[in-house]
Amino acid sequence: SNRPRSHVDTYDPSIARAVADAITKVEPDVVVASTLGIVEYLPQRLSCATVLEEHNCEYAVLKRTADRATGCVESMRRGLGWRKFARWEAAICRRYDVVVMVSEQDRQLILARAPDLRDVRVVPNGVDTDYYSPNERAPEPDTLLYNGALTFGANLDAVRYYTSEIYPLLRRLRPNATLRVTGRTAGVNLAGIEDCEGVRLLGYVDDMRDVLRTSAVCVVPLREGGGSRLKILEAMAAGLPVVATSMGAEGTDAIDGQHLLLADTANQFAEMVDRLLKDPALASSLSAAARRLVEEHYSWRAIGGDFRELVEETLQNRSRAGVRPSR
């Protein structure tokens, strides 16, 4: 198939029929398709204005995984896989009046595969700054947090990297350092993680605010993935200082040394975590600047307004081109 295996395996024609019936009944002025997971359930030709909202440039995520593959067969398989996905993703994007990405980097990546796209915009990910508050923090000593479910491959790789390479170095500096990992782990191979003495798997958490409030540092040692990291925005909104890899901090305007600390080797990462744990003034300074950053650029209130304006503009442009609203 010229479609990605993930979509071939999961496609359900009854959902496509239900979506088509709903469009016929509602007669929308604009259809917003949220993520590539839904696009195959929409008719390929729609008379109304259309917006595709992507959470990542998906082919780029697969390419990063392929670039780290070992062995000829695995490298070839993953290499063919991301190229196939890139062709499919580009073809899908061409169907829409506007494609929305969450970062300028992702915008450039999709344009590299489909330079003929009509309109590609950036509307960043965000966080509820009213829900998360930096007040009343009570961090427990030497307590780190990774707020991401290990059922997602990039998160699993990040925690494996921490346990195998970062933690042995950090333990020499902070013998009592403990990493708390939130999120589901059902069906995940946890070898090397659940038996690490410096890791606690909390599982699914109903309310992240208590965990954020009692953690001292958020660590984001990501080596895979794309888009932008909600886990970083969530931590910043809650007043939690962050240490991340450069890849982990992608998709945000956070500046190293001003809003967070960046570290791209295991040794640097352990040193930066230790530095924050023993320097409360630095941790406080980074947290305050990061909270201002999310309030100004990543609050849902501001982002929601920007996205609404984009949708309205898309409808107006479609109308000016001679395609009138259905109502």
Side-chain angles (χ1 to χ4, degrees):
S1 174
N2 63 354
R3 295 158 58 212
R5 177 178 175 179
S6 58
H7 289 258
V8 173
D9 285 352
T10 62
Y11 184 76
D12 183 344
S14 67
I15 298 177
R17 290 193 296 270
V19 171
D21 289 346
I23 290 173
T24 300
K25 180 179 179 180
V26 174
E27 297 183 342
D29 297 329
V30 184
V31 166
V32 177
S34 184
T35 79
L36 294 179
I38 197 63
V39 293
E40 292 211 290
Y41 295 117
L42 283 165
Q44 291 196 22
R45 290 182 175 83
L46 290 168
S47 60
C48 62
T50 55
V51 177
L52 170 61
E53 178 230 348
E54 287 213 60
H55 291 182
N56 304 288
C57 182
E58 296 290 351
Y59 88 81
V61 176
L62 297 176
K63 184 179 184 301
R64 282 177 167 172
T65 303
D67 290 344
R68 297 183 60 246
T70 57
C72 292
V73 174
E74 184 70 3
S75 296
M76 181 180 296
R77 184 178 72 84
R78 291 186 179 275
L80 292 171
W82 80 255
R83 289 177 174 85
K84 173 180 175 179
F85 199 104
R87 289 192 296 271
W88 178 81
E89 186 172 8
I92 290 292
C93 289
R94 292 187 181 101
R95 298 181 193 170
Y96 290 81
D97 295 321
V98 177
V99 176
V100 178
M101 292 291 183
V102 299
S103 71
E104 178 60 28
Q105 181 176 21
D106 275 13
R107 178 179 180 274
Q108 294 300 326
L109 286 167
I110 195 61
L111 285 173
R113 306 301 299 189
D116 56 330
L117 288 179
R118 285 173 285 183
D119 194 354
V120 185
R121 308 284 188 92
V122 175
V123 177
N125 271 324
V127 65
D128 188 341
T129 51
D130 294 328
Y131 183 78
Y132 295 102
S133 171
N135 300 325
E136 300 181 359
R137 281 189 41 75
E140 298 173 8
D142 292 354
T143 301
L144 315 179
L145 173 66
Y146 187 86
N147 44 337
L150 301 188
T151 49
F152 179 51
N155 289 334
L156 180 60
D157 177 78
V159 175
R160 288 199 185 283
Y161 172 46
Y162 175 86
T163 57
S164 64
E165 299 186 39
I166 297 172
Y167 177 65
L169 299 171
L170 180 61
R171 184 170 53 182
R172 299 174 190 170
L173 302 170
R174 317 290 298 194
N176 297 320
T178 302
L179 175 67
R180 303 193 290 188
V181 181
T182 63
R184 300 187 189 279
T185 59
V188 177
N189 179 4
L190 298 173
I193 295 176
E194 62 183 351
D195 55 347
C196 177
E197 63 178 350
V199 172
R200 289 178 56 204
L201 300 175
L202 302 186
Y204 179 80
V205 176
D206 289 323
D207 191 337
M208 275 297 301
R209 289 176 294 183
D210 288 338
V211 182
L212 288 160
R213 182 175 60 85
T214 57
S215 298
V217 177
C218 175
V219 296
V220 189
L222 280 164
R223 303 185 295 182
E224 299 177 3
S228 60
R229 321 302 178 200
L230 291 172
K231 57 176 63 66
I232 285 184
L233 298 179
E234 184 180 65
M236 288 178 167
L240 187 59
V242 176
V243 177
T245 57
S246 296
M247 189 176 294
E250 278 182 355
T252 73
D253 292 331
I255 298 172
D256 182 24
Q258 180 176 340
H259 305 107
L260 79 176
L261 297 180
L262 297 182
D264 288 319
T265 69
N267 190 59
Q268 289 174 343
F269 210 101
E271 290 177 353
M272 291 301 100
V273 172
D274 177 57
R275 182 182 172 191
L276 277 182
L277 290 173
K278 67 184 181 184
D279 190 343
L282 174 62
S284 178
S285 173
L286 293 174
S287 298
R291 171 70 190 193
R292 289 193 296 271
L293 178 71
V294 296
E295 288 176 345
E296 293 169 2
H297 298 286
Y298 300 104
S299 72
W300 281 127
R301 188 178 296 107
I303 293 169
D306 291 344
F307 188 74
R308 183 184 64 250
E309 290 177 6
L310 181 151
V311 172
E312 291 173 349
E313 179 188 340
T314 304
L315 174 59
Q316 292 167 2
N317 290 342
R318 188 71 179 258
S319 298
R320 282 195 291 268
V323 181
R324 296 298 175 187
S326 54
R327 293 196 307 276

